[in-house]
Amino acid sequence: MSAPRPVLVVDFGAQYAQLIARRVREAGVYSEIVPHSVTSDEVRAKDPLGIILSGGPSSVYEEGSPALDPAILGLGLPVLGICYGFQVMAQQLGGEVARTGAREYGRTPMRVSGGGGLLLGDQPAEQTTWMSHGDSVVRAPEGFEVLASTEATPVAAFGSAQRRMYGVQWHPEVRHSEFGQRVLENFLLRAAGLPADWNSGSVIAEQVERIRAQVGAGRVIAGLSGGVDSAVAAALVHRAVGDQLTCVFVDHGLLRTGEREQVERDYVAATGIRLVTVDASERFLMALSGVTEPEAKRKIIGEQFIRVFEQAERELVAEAAADGEPIRFLVQGTLYPDVVESGGGAGAANIKSHHNVGGLPEDLRFELVEPLRTLFKDEVRAIGRELGLPEAIVGRQPFPGPGLGIRIVGEVTRSRLDLLREADAIVRAELTAAGLDDEIWQCPVVLLADVRSVGVQGDGRTYGHPIVLRPVSSEDAMTADWTRLPYDLLARISNRITNEVAGVNRVVLDVTSKPPGTIEWE
């Protein structure tokens, strides 16, 4: 089975490029992101179904501002320009973009002009959109119809049904734009005439074929962490190659309470996968001894994972000497946000290394199998449910591969891990009891191991550690906001932690969005 033909999202440095890609997929159409430096030949080679030009922070008049290969608009493909992409498109097609001095930011009333065309024709004549621009399109390209306007922007949208080219000044990908998803669906399904046939079932079928083609008769090893990413990746590979896969669950000593039991009991019962558990907690703690720098911890944990896998491989091959087929492939639960945040694309900033992406040793002995590399977390969960995995695993809140090792700010020690486990278990229990598990993306519990503060407990003064609560709401981890938990719940969590966890005398709440902060502290 060949890969699905994508709609390409051309990234002009937009905060929301990944969100656009997600919204396209929600419409049942596969999407991929490419940098604005992509050439027309590179676009043609990808054989796309259409193109969406993202927004961006620049002005089309700035020297060195992101540009688009003009030949791309001559390929005859359906094109939708958004915000900055709308202005680039207008300029290249002969329209006019000007610095009018009338800026629009945030919620902005919009009026549909005329009939609205295929893009806006089925929508209310007046609606709220989300704007973020200083420059404006003041004249549409020849042959294009003006489809919408605002008080400050005479050309807020335009389109040409004949050329299948459209553009909007607002951001239809954000929920603040009332009919934003309908705008995208109208472009994809009506204007471009694309079928809405990309779904979790098609992803499974496609990946099974790809895995079989890559692996052949080879043997595969997969590391299970207890999280949804590794669980779904392994289940996909098992669907493709069956008993050629052996899963290794590494208890690295950085797990939360009950996670080992969940993998060994629930996951194996649901999948029938062969599982080997390796207790390597002492090895990891020794390797992390004295290390405090976050990136160093991530790389150490990633390398130790690989070394443990190599040892497991040797033992498994020796056990099955009659077979004689070495384990050549390693499954990784790498997701698309992991790739983006690890600098996996032109112009992407290396926000953090990831043990699935940036933390692998250079002398890796395995060929990687990464069936989730182009997917977002919500898509992975849908695939997991389609594969019949337990809801306790599929619905589990995201947990980093390096485990509690990156939720301890400072050196990782056994006593600090035990302390953090106790606090984390309390937080998870209280969130579940409050019925909030489905309302928050995740709630990292962080120990500031190198920070102490004065407190009063009983009749004496204490000098204990602070625990940080980091509840966040997100759709894909690319952006996030802190979750407004009820005050009585926060009070109950704080009281329990300070009363029940020895060594903690203060609980604080992280109220930082992403950006500027990341979800994890390290």
Side-chain angles (χ1 to χ4, degrees), residues 224 258-273 275 388-394:
L224 291 178
E259 290 184 315
R260 175 170 174 170
E261 294 77 8
Q262 187 180 70
V263 172
E264 292 180 324
R265 181 188 63 237
D266 300 339
Y267 185 72
V268 171
T271 61
I273 284 176
L275 177 67
L389 299 187
E391 186 61 31
I393 290 179
V394 175

Side-chain angles (χ1 to χ4, degrees), residues 118-134:
L118 291 175
L119 198 67
L120 306 175
D122 60 348
Q123 299 177 30
E126 296 187 2
Q127 55 185 270
T128 298
T129 61
W130 190 263
M131 295 279 195
S132 181
H133 69 103

Side-chain angles (χ1 to χ4, degrees), residues 108-146:
T108 305
M110 178 271 285
R111 294 179 300 278
V112 176
S113 301
L118 291 175
L119 198 67
L120 306 175
D122 60 348
Q123 299 177 30
E126 296 187 2
Q127 55 185 270
T128 298
T129 61
W130 190 263
M131 295 279 195
S132 181
H133 69 103
D135 300 337
S136 296
V137 177
V138 295
R139 181 172 55 83
E142 185 176 349
F144 281 70
E145 177 186 2
V146 176

Side-chain angles (χ1 to χ4, degrees), residues 228-441:
V228 62
D229 303 342
S230 63
V232 174
L236 260 177
V237 174
H238 187 255
R239 172 72 63 91
V241 299
D243 291 341
Q244 292 170 238
L245 170 69
T246 298
C247 288
V248 175
F249 178 71
V250 177
D251 185 351
H252 51 21
L254 308 174
L255 301 170
R256 298 185 295 185
T257 301
E259 290 184 315
R260 175 170 174 170
E261 294 77 8
Q262 187 180 70
V263 172
E264 292 180 324
R265 181 188 63 237
D266 300 339
Y267 185 72
V268 171
T271 61
I273 284 176
R274 182 192 178 193
L275 177 67
V276 175
T277 299
V278 179
D279 189 339
S281 56
E282 287 296 333
R283 174 175 182 159
F284 278 81
L285 283 172
M286 287 180 61
L288 291 168
S289 177
V291 180
T292 60
E293 203 275 320
E295 288 299 289
K297 285 196 284 187
R298 286 179 177 274
K299 291 184 182 297
I300 287 170
I301 294 169
E303 181 169 356
Q304 291 302 316
F305 256 102
I306 297 301
R307 299 311 172 213
V308 170
F309 286 145
E310 289 177 335
Q311 179 61 35
E313 177 209 16
R314 288 190 288 269
E315 294 175 359
L316 289 169
V317 169
E319 175 187 307
D323 183 355
E325 180 69 33
I327 297 175
R328 296 172 37 227
F329 300 94
L330 170 66
V331 180
Q332 289 275 272
T334 310
L335 303 192
Y336 192 67
D338 298 333
V339 177
V340 172
E341 292 198 349
S342 300
N350 190 357
I351 298 173
K352 65 182 181 181
S353 67
H354 190 283
H355 83 279
N356 281 352
V357 182
L360 296 174
E362 294 181 0
D363 60 340
L364 179 67
R365 295 176 53 192
F366 304 110
E367 180 180 335
L368 294 181
V369 179
E370 298 178 297
L372 312 179
R373 190 179 177 88
T374 63
L375 302 179
F376 292 96
K377 180 74 75 172
D378 57 331
E379 296 167 337
V380 173
R381 293 190 198 280
I383 290 168
R385 292 185 176 99
E386 187 88 11
L387 291 169
L389 299 187
E391 186 61 31
I393 290 179
V394 175
R396 182 189 187 216
Q397 292 177 1
F399 186 62
L404 298 180
I406 60 167
R407 291 186 177 174
I408 295 176
V409 179
E411 182 184 5
V412 178
T413 67
R414 188 177 298 279
S415 61
R416 290 174 173 180
L417 285 165
D418 290 341
L419 184 155
L420 182 54
R421 282 193 191 94
E422 289 185 65
D424 176 85
I426 290 171
V427 173
R428 287 192 288 153
E430 290 295 341
L431 289 174
T432 299
L436 295 176
D437 286 340
D438 293 334
E439 294 186 24
I440 64 173
W441 174 262

Side-chain angles (χ1 to χ4, degrees), residues 188-200:
L188 296 165
L189 309 182
R190 298 174 66 187
L194 307 182
D197 58 1
W198 190 82
N199 51 48
S200 58

Side-chain angles (χ1 to χ4, degrees), residues 447-464:
L447 171 63
L448 304 185
D450 291 340
V451 176
R452 289 180 181 269
S453 64
V454 175
V456 178
Q457 290 175 304
D459 294 325
R461 292 164 65 86
T462 62
Y463 195 51

